[in-house]
């Protein structure tokens, strides 16, 4: 079970806690925290929802893939958007530079946590429901995950403790 803990990339559905858990974990480990959605907005000088509105979903996904593929860091917790899994070259890069952790959330928890999807910049194809998106993405998250953390019944703090223990045990 030898994982490369140089970097930790958190993948999962929107509202699965990638940013919250990522910041807490980075603090506990003394790592940097990288929010890839913010990197995209800085590069493009637009909000995610504006990029999606102006470039369309495919245009946004291409930008997202390029930004994630170009990340060069060491000792960082990386939190990409939930749609990063649609960019194979980005996912291969993230797996090469560290360990990919899937934060698994139930559909019920997802529905409860999520606010306005469009406002969050969630990449939803026309006519697709949140449940459709969940069923489409879960197998892809599972495919790319080196480690899966089931968040059911756990607080953010408990998830962070679980991950920290793995990293400290594995270093």
């Amino acid at each position: 079970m030898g994982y490369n803990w140089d970097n930790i990339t958190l993948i999962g559905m929107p509202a699965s806690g990638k940013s919250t858990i990522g910041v807490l974990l980075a603090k506990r480990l003394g790592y940097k925290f990288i929010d890839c959605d913010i990197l995209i907005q800085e590069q493009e000088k637009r909000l995610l929802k504006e990029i999606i509105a102006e470039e369309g979903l495919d245009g946004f996904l291409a930008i997202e893939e390029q930004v994630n593929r170009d990340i060069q860091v060491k000792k960082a917790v990386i939190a990409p958007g939930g749609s990063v899994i649609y960019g194979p070259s980005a996912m291969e890069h993230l797996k090469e530079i560290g360990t990919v952790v899937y934060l698994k959330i139930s559909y019920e928890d997802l529905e409860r946590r999520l606010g306005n999807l469009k406002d969050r910049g969630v990449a939803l194809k026309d006519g697709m429901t949140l449940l459709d998106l969940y069923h489409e993405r879960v197998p892809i998250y599972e495919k790319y995950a080196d480690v899966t953390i089931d968040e059911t019944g756990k607080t953010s703090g408990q998830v962070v403790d679980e991950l920290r223990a793995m990293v400290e045990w594995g270093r």
Side-chain angles (χ1 to χ4, degrees):
M1 246 181 56
Y3 297 113
N4 168 7
W5 295 110
D6 284 351
N7 296 297
I8 300 159
T9 297
L10 303 177
I11 62 171
M13 291 297 288
S16 61
K18 296 181 295 290
S19 298
T20 306
I21 288 163
V23 167
L24 294 171
L25 185 62
K27 278 185 188 176
R28 298 259 177 89
L29 296 174
Y31 279 28
K32 292 188 259 323
F33 174 72
I34 296 171
D35 184 315
C36 300
D37 285 346
I38 292 174
L39 289 183
I40 292 167
Q41 290 185 163
E42 285 173 352
Q43 174 183 298
E44 296 297 308
K45 297 178 181 40
R46 297 178 280 177
L47 298 176
L48 297 184
K49 63 183 180 181
E50 293 169 340
I51 300 167
I52 293 168
E54 292 163 20
E55 309 294 333
L57 190 53
D58 290 342
F60 169 76
L61 292 174
I63 293 165
E64 180 178 48
E65 182 171 21
Q66 169 263 308
V67 167
N68 282 280
R69 188 181 55 232
D70 292 348
I71 290 173
Q72 294 298 333
V73 288
K74 203 153 192 156
K75 299 271 179 261
V77 178
I78 303 164
S83 52
V84 69
I85 52 165
Y86 298 124
S89 67
M91 288 309 303
E92 284 160 28
H93 173 67
L94 293 168
K95 284 177 79 68
E96 271 169 30
I97 65 169
T99 295
V100 173
V101 175
Y102 168 36
L103 299 177
K104 184 177 183 177
I105 181 176
S106 71
Y107 181 71
E108 293 68 33
D109 285 343
L110 175 67
E111 250 189 339
R112 198 171 53 249
R113 290 184 192 183
L114 261 185
N116 182 322
L117 291 181
K118 292 272 188 266
D119 213 48
R120 283 186 75 114
V122 174
L124 261 185
K125 294 182 196 116
D126 282 342
M128 186 178 240
T129 67
L130 183 61
L131 185 60
D132 295 334
L133 188 72
Y134 184 80
H135 287 307
E136 178 179 284
R137 286 189 183 178
V138 165
I140 310 172
Y141 291 134
E142 289 170 349
K143 176 180 105 173
Y144 283 119
D146 296 309
V147 173
T148 298
I149 304 276
D150 187 342
E151 295 185 281
T152 308
K154 294 177 190 164
T155 64
S156 295
Q158 289 168 320
V159 173
V160 170
D161 289 343
E162 197 174 325
L163 271 166
R164 189 174 105 190
M166 276 184 203
V167 174
E168 289 173 352
W169 181 83
R171 280 203 269 208

